[in-house]
């Protein structure tokens, strides 16, 4: 989790009387606010990367991939071993994780989602992915062991300070790469032919098929992109979180919350919700108890579902019987 | 009948605490599994919250016994009812949710419960857990004498008796109009509504039943193991029970019971390979969903059909 | 024409997304009659039926059944009042047998004390025997007596349609709403359907039938409501409808 950072300005300016003291304690509050906002955005960017994959898959396939978490984990491990065993650089390890993620996505779709698609059972693929997830996590546990790996990026130590807050280069990198990726994805979805075709398939598979678009190919493409994003997310998460076989799992539950709050299949909503959750997490860590994060986030999730069963910003999809 | 006798004899066949402990865990898992089957196999809802109800049953009964000195059986009842209420509560929530949302919401619920257990240290002692939980107090039966439940055989017979009773009552329930309603609900909710079946009410019912059974199992579990740590109720337990139901064959009641036994015993038999319990669950679940979605029940059906076919040919 | 009104709808409005599917429709259905609703494709007929049966609440307007306002009564409660329906896209329980499908329809009519659901007793046995008998009678009524044990999904399309009707009848309705019951049926099957509808009407049932098949409508309906683009176009006897210029234009004007 993001470290909670005490304000370096605490104690400054507490001399000139009550009102001045109050004013200055508000001032000393601001850096904390800023710091946690920064932390929140960093976390949020990561969550968005992971959650976007989920929402993309759901948008096109109306399925949830439980094993998405493990693609994050495996992406992180791939990056780790690329650096430590093959001597690669950190930045290229992100690319490696991207590719590994994509490959895993291809594999998952080919092995599980494609064969089960014809049978038309809504929940069976979900259950299968639960099985795969448990399998991968525990195989990884047997393989890599439970002891966390120290995934240090060369950028973790360097820090930029300003206005009483700081941000590590690593975190900055995360935000930059995530934003660039999301922007690229957005462009892809809205400006290219393939992207628009993807959205068409998400809206109405039959009609898209009739217009000469091969849904299966597009679904595979979606899977690969979504999983590549996840893998990349893993590589960037590694230095920030602890790298264990369950690293992805800790993120995925929040990713689910994000996708539901933002609305399944809704890209913009997911981005907003992701940043929102990131901010909530950092503020909860700072002002409440880190142990309560999950409760707060999931409480939000359940509250969202209570009020709007299809998510806060979701598109209305009412079913005509 | 024969099966019941066979089950009764089991603890006498297996000597040794280790083997008998496995039997007890089997019985406990059977309880949770058949409960979950009501929701998944009959009402058709993907409920991933069983670990939470298991935990609620365990903690409520344990806290009542250790902190308030309540009699075991009253605590047992309280734990079961507490779990059932939680189940109904989750269901109230879930009635408006479609399949995927429900799965995630129930998962969220289970995680919240787990976190509460971990963090409410003043009540649950958090990760350190509660120690020294006593087994149920001995019974004085007129002609037989004293039944001491610290003897594993007696404990097994107790849990097995409850599991068998639960199974029989559920089986009757499923053959009754209630069962018809649940099955109709599973097959097509809209269609069922057009026949007067209140989807919301029966979903809540199914959840409450599943939760109650998990709660009972939790009470027994706490009492059997003697210590209670939140880690025993992590979300993976929900996946484990799910695996038991699916591998056994959802919607057959007997299938999940068999699945529970298989998935409890198998990892123990394969102990030599390492602690592969969860790997087996994951693998079994995935393979079954992909290749034999009806689980062991479907496999059994296929085998008997083929045997009958061969007989007819002669 | 002096028959009491069994069902009444007033100024029903329903929007789906941005589309106005039903726009201010009103009508009254007399008891023991067959009331048909027709209109070109996309006219909003099925949506209308969904409003009547309680699957979607109307955005505006009201409905009444046998003098009772229906307000926002959900579908399963309307069944208990005596309103049953079938679906345009067949919604049988495909994995269950034909008999089991019909048995499911008795849900609202069981009289069994709750504890006998887990500890069976005499009342449960009697109820079961009674339902089985009645179910077989209904299957016979729709001509499926021999197929009672067949899996519903394995039945021929026409048989499935009739099974849906039998199942709806099992709920013991006073009003039966059929959504395109003749869709996909061949001429002989339609003949049979018409004949069965006539018997149902004689037995005291009231029917609302959404249909495309003009033969059926003109032969059996007492009154016909024509809607187009969710709006009321015309209501009258079958003969009047056939002569009405606006109706003809609506059908010929759209590429149905």
């Amino acid at each position: 989790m993001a470290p909670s950072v005490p304000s370096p300005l605490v104690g400054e300016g507490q001399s000139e009387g009550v009102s001045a003291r109050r004013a200055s304690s508000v001032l000393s509050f601001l850096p904390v606010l800023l710091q946690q906002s920064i932390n929140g955005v960093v976390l949020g960017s990561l969550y968005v990367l992971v959650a976007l994959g989920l929402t993309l898959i759901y948008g096109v396939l109306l399925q949830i991939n439980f094993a998405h978490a493990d693609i994050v984990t495996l992406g992180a491990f791939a990056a780790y071993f690329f650096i430590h065993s093959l001597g690669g650089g950190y930045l290229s390890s992100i690319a490696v994780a991207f590719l590994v993620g994509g490959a895993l996505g291809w594999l998952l779709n080919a092995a599980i989602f494609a064969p089960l698609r014809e049978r038309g059972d809504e929940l069976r693929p979900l259950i299968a992915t639960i099985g795969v997830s448990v399998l991968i996590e525990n195989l990884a546990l047997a393989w890599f062991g439970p002891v966390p790996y120290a995934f240090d990026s060369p950028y973790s130590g360097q820090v930029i300070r300003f206005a009483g807050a700081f941000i590590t280069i690593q975190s900055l990198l995360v935000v930059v790469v995530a934003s660039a990726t999301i922007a690229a994805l957005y462009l892809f979805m809205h400006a290219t032919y393939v992207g628009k075709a993807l959205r068409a398939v998400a809206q109405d598979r039959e009609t898209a098929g009739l217009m000469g678009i091969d849904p299966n190919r597009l679904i595979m493409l979606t899977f690969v992109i979504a999983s590549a994003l996840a893998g990349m997310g893993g590589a960037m998460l590694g230095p920030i979180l602890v790298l264990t076989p369950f690293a992805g799992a800790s993120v995925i539950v929040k990713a689910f919350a994000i996708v539901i709050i933002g609305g399944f299949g809704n890209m913009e909503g997911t981005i907003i919700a992701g940043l929102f959750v990131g901010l909530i997490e950092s503020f909860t860590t700072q002002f409440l108890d880190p142990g309560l994060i999950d409760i707060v986030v999931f409480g939000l999730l359940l509250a969202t579902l209570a009020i709007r069963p299809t998510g806060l910003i979701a598109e209305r999809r009412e079913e005509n019987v | 009948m024969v099966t019941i006798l066979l089950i009764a004899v089991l603890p006498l066949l297996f000597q040794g605490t280790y083997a008998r402990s496995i039997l007890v865990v089997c019985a406990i898992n059977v309880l949770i599994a058949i409960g979950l089957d009501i929701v998944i196999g009959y009402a058709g809802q993907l409920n991933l919250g069983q670990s939470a109800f298991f935990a609620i049953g365990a903690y409520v009964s344990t806290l009542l016994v250790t902190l308030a000195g309540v009699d075991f059986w009253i605590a047992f009842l309280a734990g079961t009812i507490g779990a059932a209420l939680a189940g109904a509560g989750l269901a109230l929530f879930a009635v408006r949710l479609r399949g995927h949302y429900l799965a995630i919401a129930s998962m969220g619920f289970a995680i919240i419960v787990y976190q509460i257990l971990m963090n409410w240290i003043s009540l649950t002692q958090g990760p350190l857990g509660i120690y020294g939980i006593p087994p149920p107090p001995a019974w004085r039966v007129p002609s037989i004498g004293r039944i001491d439940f610290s003897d594993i055989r007696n404990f097994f017979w107790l849990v097995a008796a409850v599991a068998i009773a639960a199974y029989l009552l559920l089986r009757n329930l499923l053959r009754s109009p209630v069962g018809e309603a649940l099955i109709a609900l599973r097959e097509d909710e809209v269609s069922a509504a057009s026949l007067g079946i209140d989807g919301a009410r029966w979903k809540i019912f199914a959840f409450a039943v599943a939760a109650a059974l998990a709660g009972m199992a939790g009470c027994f579990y706490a009492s059997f193991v003697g210590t209670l740590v939140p880690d025993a109720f992590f979300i993976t337990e929900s996946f484990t029970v799910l695996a038991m139901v699916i591998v056994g064959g959802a919607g057959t009641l007997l299938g999940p019971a068999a699945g529970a036994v298989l998935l409890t015993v198998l990892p123990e038999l394969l102990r030599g390979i390492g602690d592969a319990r969860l790997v087996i669950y994951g693998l079994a679940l995935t393979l079954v969903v992909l290749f034999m979605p009806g689980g062991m029940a479907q496999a059994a059906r296929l085998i008997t059909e083929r045997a009958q076919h061969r007989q007819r040919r002669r | 024409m002096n028959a009491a009104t069994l069902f009444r709808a007033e100024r029903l409005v329903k929007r789906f997304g941005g589309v106005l599917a039903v726009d201010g429709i009103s009508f009254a259905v007399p008891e023991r009659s067959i009331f048909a609703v027709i209109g070109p494709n996309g006219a909003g007929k099925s949506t209308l039926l969904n409003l009547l049966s309680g699957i979607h609440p109307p955005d505006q307007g009201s409905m009444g059944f046998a003098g009772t306002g229906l307000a926002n009564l959900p579908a399963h409660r309307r069944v208990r009042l005596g309103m049953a329906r079938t679906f345009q896209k067949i919604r049988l329980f495909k994995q269950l047998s034909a008999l089991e499908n019909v048995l499911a329809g008795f849900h609202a009519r069981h009289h069994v004390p709750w504890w006998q659901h887990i500890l069976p007793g005499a009342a449960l046995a009697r109820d079961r025997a009674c339902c089985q008998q009645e179910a077989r009678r209904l299957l016979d009524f729709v001509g499926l007596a021999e197929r009672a044990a067949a899996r519903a999904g394995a039945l021929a399309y026409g048989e499935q349609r009739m099974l849906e009707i039998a199942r709806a009848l099992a709920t013991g309705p006073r009003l039966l709403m059929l959504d395109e019951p003749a869709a996909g049926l061949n001429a002989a099957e339609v003949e049979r359907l018409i004949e069965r509808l006539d018997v149902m009407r004689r037995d005291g049932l009231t029917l609302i039938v959404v249909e495309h098949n003009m033969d059926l409508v003109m032969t059996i309906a007492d009154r016909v409501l024509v809607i187009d683009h969710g709006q009321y176009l015309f209501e009258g006897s079958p003969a009047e409808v056939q002569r009405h210029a606006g109706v003809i234009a609506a059908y010929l004007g759209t590429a149905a």
Side-chain angles (χ1 to χ4, degrees):
Chain A
M1 293 302 132
S4 65
V5 181
S7 162
L9 291 181
V10 161
E12 199 177 292
Q14 290 191 345
S15 37
E16 292 98 76
V18 177
S19 55
R21 199 175 296 146
R22 223 180 271 139
S24 56
S25 59
V26 165
L27 271 177
S28 65
F29 191 71
L30 278 178
V32 177
L33 215 60
L34 182 60
Q35 183 65 59
Q36 291 313 321
S37 302
I38 293 174
N39 292 343
V41 169
V42 172
L43 274 177
S45 315
L46 276 172
Y47 291 155
V48 171
L49 265 184
V50 177
L52 266 180
L54 273 178
T55 214
L56 278 175
I57 293 178
Y58 190 85
V60 168
L61 203 50
L62 289 176
Q63 288 293 341
I64 299 179
N65 178 16
F66 242 81
H68 199 71
D70 306 290
I71 300 180
V72 173
T73 310
L74 291 177
F77 272 106
Y80 176 84
F81 284 113
F82 179 74
I83 296 179
H84 289 257
S85 304
L86 293 177
Y90 178 68
L91 287 174
S92 12
S93 76
I94 296 181
V96 167
F98 184 83
L99 292 171
V100 168
L104 286 170
W106 182 87
L107 198 65
L108 268 178
N109 188 34
I112 295 186
F113 284 92
L116 286 179
R117 207 172 302 143
E118 280 76 49
R119 304 211 204 131
D121 188 337
E122 255 202 5
L123 292 174
R124 207 175 286 160
L126 173 60
I127 300 179
T129 56
I130 292 180
V132 169
S133 175
V134 172
L135 181 62
I136 293 180
E137 275 169 16
N138 289 281
L139 277 179
L141 186 61
W143 201 290
F144 299 124
V147 181
Y149 286 68
F151 191 160
D152 294 312
S153 105
Y155 305 103
S156 308
Q158 301 163 357
V159 157
I160 301 178
R161 288 183 195 279
F162 59 92
F166 73 88
I167 181 170
T168 65
I169 301 277
Q170 171 70 18
S171 303
L172 190 61
L173 182 69
V174 166
V175 176
V176 168
V177 173
S179 310
T181 311
I182 293 169
L185 186 68
Y186 201 81
L187 260 175
F188 174 73
M189 294 292 266
H190 288 262
T192 69
Y193 173 75
V194 182
K196 289 187 203 170
L198 261 173
R199 288 164 62 220
V201 171
Q203 300 254 346
D204 187 337
R205 195 186 299 183
E206 263 180 75
T207 316
L210 285 173
M211 292 168 71
I213 304 174
D214 180 356
N216 290 326
R217 280 264 204 89
L218 280 175
I219 290 173
M220 177 61 89
L221 181 64
T222 309
F223 244 97
V224 169
I225 293 178
S227 308
L229 287 176
M232 187 163 82
M236 293 199 283
L237 262 170
I240 299 185
L241 296 183
V242 268
L243 183 55
T244 70
F246 300 101
S250 66
V251 172
I252 200 66
V253 286
K254 286 171 204 128
F256 279 139
I258 291 169
V259 176
I260 286 187
I261 294 175
F264 269 110
N266 184 331
M267 254 185 83
E268 295 85 350
T270 306
I271 296 174
I272 297 175
L275 290 171
F276 182 54
V277 169
L279 284 168
I280 290 196
E281 175 163 340
S282 65
F283 278 101
T284 306
T285 311
Q286 174 70 10
F287 295 112
L288 296 173
D289 194 298
L292 293 181
I293 294 174
D294 277 352
I295 297 184
V296 171
V297 172
F298 273 102
L300 252 181
L301 165 68
L302 292 180
T304 309
L305 285 175
I307 305 172
R308 276 265 228 130
T310 45
L312 278 178
I313 321 174
E315 294 145 17
R316 287 286 211 89
R317 283 184 180 205
E318 214 173 340
E319 216 185 304
N320 203 354
V321 172
Chain B
M1 261 307 124
V2 179
T3 332
I4 296 183
L5 285 174
L6 260 171
I7 295 176
V9 166
L10 279 174
L12 305 174
L13 289 177
F14 293 95
Q15 307 291 333
T17 319
Y18 176 68
R20 289 176 182 173
S21 303
I22 299 180
L23 287 177
V24 174
V25 176
C26 273
I28 291 178
N29 284 336
V30 165
L31 258 183
I32 314 181
I34 57 178
L36 186 59
D37 196 23
I38 300 289
V39 176
I40 293 187
Y42 288 95
Q45 310 293 313
L46 186 53
N47 171 17
L48 293 176
Q50 286 297 75
S51 61
F53 308 126
F54 188 50
I56 292 176
Y59 272 89
V60 168
S61 65
T62 300
L63 289 173
L64 282 175
V65 168
T66 54
L67 293 181
V70 173
D71 172 64
F72 175 82
W73 290 105
I74 299 186
F76 177 82
L77 201 61
T80 307
I81 294 179
L85 285 175
L90 179 62
L92 264 176
F93 208 73
V95 281
R96 300 156 60 194
L97 300 179
R98 276 182 59 206
H100 301 290
Y101 293 95
L102 172 59
I104 294 184
S106 59
M107 204 175 81
F109 177 74
I111 292 179
I112 288 182
V113 169
Y114 171 76
Q115 289 292 352
I116 292 178
L117 292 176
M118 278 289 247
N119 288 300
W120 196 349
I121 303 197
S122 58
L123 189 65
T124 67
Q125 307 205 272
L128 292 176
I130 304 175
Y131 289 81
I133 305 171
W139 281 350
R140 248 166 262 275
V141 180
S143 34
I144 306 182
R146 200 166 165 273
I147 304 182
D148 185 5
F149 288 114
S150 47
D151 182 342
I152 295 189
R153 286 174 304 175
N154 292 332
F155 198 90
F156 172 76
W157 280 319
L158 176 65
V159 183
V162 173
I164 292 175
Y167 173 82
L168 290 174
L169 290 179
L170 280 180
R171 199 196 53 181
N172 288 341
L173 184 70
L174 292 170
R175 290 182 186 168
S176 76
V178 172
E180 277 174 10
L182 288 176
I183 293 175
L185 193 60
R186 171 190 77 197
E187 293 291 309
D188 187 336
E189 196 170 336
V190 173
S191 195
S194 79
L195 299 176
I197 296 173
D198 184 352
R201 175 212 242 200
W202 292 115
K203 276 189 209 176
I204 295 175
F205 175 77
F207 268 83
V209 169
L213 287 172
M216 277 189 228
C219 298
F220 283 131
Y221 174 80
S223 183
F224 176 63
V225 176
T227 62
L228 206 57
V229 275
D231 265 325
F233 306 105
F234 196 53
I235 185 72
T236 23
E237 295 312 306
S238 282
F239 298 152
T240 300
V241 184
L242 177 67
M244 291 175 187
V245 170
I246 302 280
V247 169
T252 60
L253 209 59
L254 195 56
V261 173
L262 179 71
L263 288 183
T264 307
V265 170
L266 196 60
E268 303 295 332
L269 290 177
L270 297 176
R271 260 285 153 96
I273 306 184
D275 198 2
R277 192 172 71 107
L278 288 171
V279 173
I280 292 176
Y281 290 156
L283 190 61
L285 184 57
T286 311
L287 291 178
V288 164
V289 172
L290 281 177
F291 300 115
M292 185 140 318
M296 288 160 60
Q298 182 183 4
R301 250 199 320 267
L302 287 175
I303 295 176
T304 44
E305 270 170 26
R306 211 170 278 174
Q308 284 174 345
H309 191 69
R310 237 175 264 145
Q311 275 225 325
R312 250 180 263 131
R313 281 241 208 98
R314 291 209 192 111
Chain C
M1 286 304 290
N2 283 330
T5 300
L6 185 63
F7 182 86
R8 170 192 56 79
E10 252 149 61
R11 287 186 291 272
L12 293 174
V13 176
K14 181 67 181 174
R15 267 183 207 83
F16 272 117
V19 180
L20 200 56
V22 174
D23 189 3
I25 305 249
S26 309
F27 60 92
V29 180
E31 217 173 347
R32 292 169 162 260
S33 74
I34 296 183
F35 188 89
V37 179
I38 66 175
N41 268 330
K45 307 192 294 293
S46 278
T47 312
L48 182 62
L49 206 56
N50 287 341
L51 291 180
L52 302 184
S53 59
I55 296 204
H56 299 301
D59 295 325
Q60 283 172 52
S62 66
M63 292 171 273
F65 177 77
T68 320
L70 290 178
N72 281 322
L73 209 60
H76 64 268
R77 297 270 284 279
R78 299 192 189 201
V79 174
R80 283 170 197 261
L81 283 182
M83 299 167 63
R85 70 163 293 172
T86 63
F87 294 90
Q88 179 181 8
K89 177 180 123 157
I90 295 186
R91 295 190 90 119
L92 290 171
F93 305 130
K94 296 249 162 79
Q95 301 300 320
L96 304 184
S97 74
L99 186 66
E100 284 166 341
N101 267 272
V102 178
L103 284 173
F106 291 108
H107 178 82
R109 294 164 69 188
H110 293 293
H111 292 294
V112 179
W114 70 266
W115 56 270
Q116 287 207 24
H117 291 294
I118 51 179
L119 292 169
L124 185 70
R126 253 181 288 127
D127 178 83
R128 187 168 291 163
C130 188
C131 290
Q132 291 259 342
Q133 201 182 31
E134 178 69 10
R136 287 185 190 275
R137 191 187 68 79
L138 286 171
L139 281 173
D140 187 50
F141 178 75
V142 297
L144 288 175
E146 275 96 60
R147 309 282 273 148
R151 200 171 59 88
L155 293 177
Y157 188 84
E159 292 176 320
Q160 289 185 357
R161 282 230 167 268
M162 297 310 280
L163 179 58
E164 258 212 331
I165 294 178
R167 188 177 68 166
L169 286 174
T171 64
R174 285 174 67 186
L175 172 67
L176 179 59
M177 299 176 283
L178 302 176
D179 198 345
E180 304 207 17
L185 296 188
N186 62 40
E189 288 167 332
V190 174
E191 278 295 313
R192 195 129 211 296
L193 176 62
I194 292 177
E195 190 263 324
R196 294 285 96 186
L197 290 177
D198 191 35
V199 174
M200 285 187 242
R201 175 177 46 189
R202 263 188 287 126
D203 284 343
L205 203 55
T206 309
L207 291 118
I208 296 179
V209 182
V210 167
E211 232 337 306
H212 259 306
N213 185 316
M214 286 307 146
D215 282 339
L216 188 151
V217 171
M218 296 307 157
T219 313
I220 196 76
D222 295 308
R223 281 193 81 70
V224 180
L225 169 69
V226 189
I227 65 178
D228 188 17
H229 288 98
Q231 288 177 334
Y232 169 94
L233 191 58
F234 180 69
E235 183 192 325
S237 73
E240 289 169 351
V241 168
Q242 272 179 315
R243 289 193 300 263
H244 192 273
V247 173
I248 300 173
Y251 270 94
L252 291 180
T254 53

